[in-house]
Amino acid sequence: MADKRLWVVVGSAVVLLVVVAHALQFRRDVKVESTRNVSVGGATIQVDFAEGPLDLGTEAVAGRVKDAASAVAVYYGRFPVSRARMLILPVRDRHGLFRGTTWGGVGGFPGFTRISVGQQTTAKELAEDWMMTHELTHMAFPNLPDENHWMEEGLATYVEPIARVEAGQLDAKTIWREMMDGMPKGEPEAGDQGLDRTHTWGRTYWGGALFCLVADVEIRKETKNRKGLQDALRAIAAAGGTIDQDWPIERALEVGDRATGTHVLREMYARWSVEPVNVDLAALWRELGVRRVGDLVEFEGKAPLAGVREGITARR
Ligand SMILES: [Zn+2]
């Protein structure tokens, strides 16, 4: 019995430490030096700047938030949550954007992103940033159980560049080249037990993105290119599946499949979650008409799935 009491004491102490650590983490939010509100796609994003130097100034950074949010709004038809907060943490003597994290339902905001921005970030670095778009994409999907984390990250990895192409911020050839570079990192290695049970970096981000790409192609093949993953994702967000809501993955996939009139998401999930599924990427690129030429890619207009490739990045 004494042992048991000891464990209760130790357990309580651990819980207390975790609570205090969380509280301290959010205490850092308190020192906001200035605020700018950004309106995008029916939503307001409160951009809070913590203390610290930013060579470009707050207006340029708020402008980048607006571009990132606009791309997400274009992809989803509107910005997925009505109110969001983005906390910018300036970091002295650094370049670029880093350590982006997004949560649901913090301090009365359905979506909350915290991101570090280096003091010496240049206008070019800001324009080329992908991280803000990635973080804001997270707001358009429900919070899933831990074992399905790959779906949240894979989705953001896959959608972010496509949203930027649809918004006219990136060239389609650039993102197909990045997919050719990135997707092989998501393929299963020896010992893989499926996406729900293999929590490596490669499988979480790129394995999840590979799931999304294959799902997009399959939905488009089944619907004669009339529907795509974008329809499924819009429907999930429209049904209230945003980051402030906890959903089982089955619910999200069912809403998504209903929107495309297919069973692609549920059938793929049944296999990909519990076993390694190999994708013949060379064949997929060939069918889509994407060909590597040196550092660039060329499109093959006569490829059997050229229309599917175009449909994936078409603005609608
Ligand atoms: Zn992420």
Side-chain angles (χ1 to χ4, degrees), residues 72 76 80-81 135-142 233 236-237 241-243:
V72 173
Y76 286 93
V81 293
E135 292 306 326
L136 294 176
T137 301
H138 279 310
M139 295 187 187
F141 202 74
L233 296 178
I236 293 164
T242 49
I243 193 163

Side-chain angles (χ1 to χ4, degrees), residues 134-135 138 153 156 205:
H134 173 105
E135 292 306 326
H138 279 310
E153 292 305 341
Y205 285 81

Side-chain angles (χ1 to χ4, degrees), residues 115-141:
I115 194 163
S116 296
V117 179
Q119 173 191 357
Q120 296 163 350
T121 300
T122 63
K124 184 167 182 283
E125 286 168 340
L126 207 54
E128 288 172 354
D129 163 66
W130 57 268
M131 196 175 279
M132 274 192 190
T133 317
H134 173 105
E135 292 306 326
L136 294 176
T137 301
H138 279 310
M139 295 187 187
F141 202 74

Side-chain angles (χ1 to χ4, degrees), residues 191-215:
D192 190 281
Q193 295 192 295
L195 290 167
D196 273 358
R197 304 187 294 195
T198 311
H199 305 297
T200 58
W201 175 86
R203 289 292 270 163
T204 301
Y205 285 81
W206 285 105
L210 187 57
F211 178 95
C212 291
L213 170 63
V214 173

Side-chain angles (χ1 to χ4, degrees), residues 277-289:
V277 176
N278 289 293
V279 176
D280 186 346
L281 281 171
L284 183 61
W285 305 136
R286 209 163 40 241
E287 284 185 86
L288 289 166

